[in-house]
Amino acid sequence: MPPPGDTTCDAILGGRLALHQPRKGHRVGHDALLLAAFAPEGARHLVDLGAGVGAAGLAVLARQPQAHAHLVELDPPTAALARLNVRENGLASRCAVVEGDVLALARPGGPAAPAPGAADLVIANPPFNARATHQTSPDARRAAAHMADADTLAGWMLAAYRCLGPGGHLVLILRPDALAPLLGGLAGRFGAAELLPVHPAPDAPAVRLLARAIKGRRTAPALLPGLVLADAAGHPSPAADAILRDGAPLPAQR
């Protein structure tokens, strides 16, 4: 655990969740809540890959009381904060933290849980900055959370495929420039993909891409109408406010 003075405890979702997180470095932002909002309803066994302090996975559990979860996190101090957040939000009976490498999941010699094919929902916010084109953060944990090699996304999607049972859902949040590797990773494994661009303001280019797909399906992808986070004056849009303040889900399109 980081020393107490190095962490804060912050309320999200209108106070429904309280999260201990590092005071500096990688902190919970909009991405985790957008990811949780794009998760389909009805999950029974959720796996959150690269869970950090648990924001996205716990937000799904707060909305779906029937679900259980494994939060997978490689960094030991961050995993310790995730365990603390699970306990202090009263979710220990429904949620366990797995300290380990995402790429080793559901493989011989990897973590004992989650078991291969056991999940019906996997969510992930994979590292998204290519090391060759982005400056690495001086904060080691922030760098690990954000910096990726060429095959990182493919490896995470393959790990999700191993964890999911037939018909299970994969939900990701990415940068828009990850569209090509995303489609490559889906090919032959996932289908019926829904792609939702996220725009910071009207007429602004998308800054994030939400993706949702189903294991074993072959239906072609669909590009959904974009989600705009704020109006021209900078005020949160009604849809964004419902997600970030209340944890409202983004509706399924198909």
Side-chain angles (χ1 to χ4, degrees):
M1 286 282 290
D6 291 343
T7 63
T8 63
C9 185
D10 304 286
I12 65 170
L13 302 182
R16 291 166 62 194
L17 289 175
L19 294 179
H20 296 267
Q21 59 179 327
R23 185 177 297 277
K24 297 180 180 179
H26 184 60
R27 287 175 59 82
V28 173
H30 289 178
D31 285 5
L33 301 184
L34 291 170
L35 176 63
F38 208 46
E41 298 297 308
R44 294 291 175 179
H45 184 177
L46 158 71
V47 178
D48 183 356
L49 304 182
V53 300
L58 296 181
V60 174
L61 292 184
R63 194 179 85 230
Q64 302 196 37
Q66 79 289 345
H68 291 70
H70 284 98
L71 311 182
V72 183
E73 174 54 44
L74 179 63
D75 179 60
T78 305
L81 287 173
R83 292 189 187 96
L84 177 61
N85 290 331
V86 169
R87 291 196 308 271
E88 294 209 350
N89 285 285
L91 293 167
S93 64
R94 296 200 285 135
C95 187
V97 176
V98 177
E99 191 174 311
D101 188 349
V102 164
L103 301 181
L105 292 178
R107 302 186 68 172
D120 57 5
L121 172 62
V122 172
I123 65 173
N125 181 359
F128 48 68
N129 288 334
R131 295 181 189 276
T133 58
H134 290 79
Q135 182 176 357
T136 302
S137 170
D139 183 277
R141 292 185 190 126
R142 187 179 180 88
H146 288 282
M147 303 309 292
D149 296 315
D151 297 329
T152 300
L153 179 57
W156 279 48
M157 293 177 70
L158 182 56
Y161 183 83
R162 294 194 303 265
C163 291
L164 284 166
H169 283 80
L170 169 64
V171 182
L172 303 169
I173 186 166
L174 306 160
R175 288 188 182 274
D177 59 12
L179 177 59
L182 167 67
L183 295 176
L186 293 174
R189 298 189 179 97
F190 298 93
E194 298 171 307
L195 307 176
L196 181 94
V198 180
H199 303 265
D203 301 324
V207 292
R208 291 292 184 270
L209 178 66
L210 286 161
R212 181 167 55 199
I214 301 173
K215 179 176 177 176
R217 292 279 292 274
R218 296 293 180 263
T219 312
L223 184 62
L224 304 181
L227 171 67
V228 178
L229 297 181
D231 63 21
H235 303 300
S237 68
D241 191 61
I243 292 166
L244 302 175
R245 186 184 301 275
D246 302 324
L250 285 160
Q253 302 293 316
R254 58 178 180 173

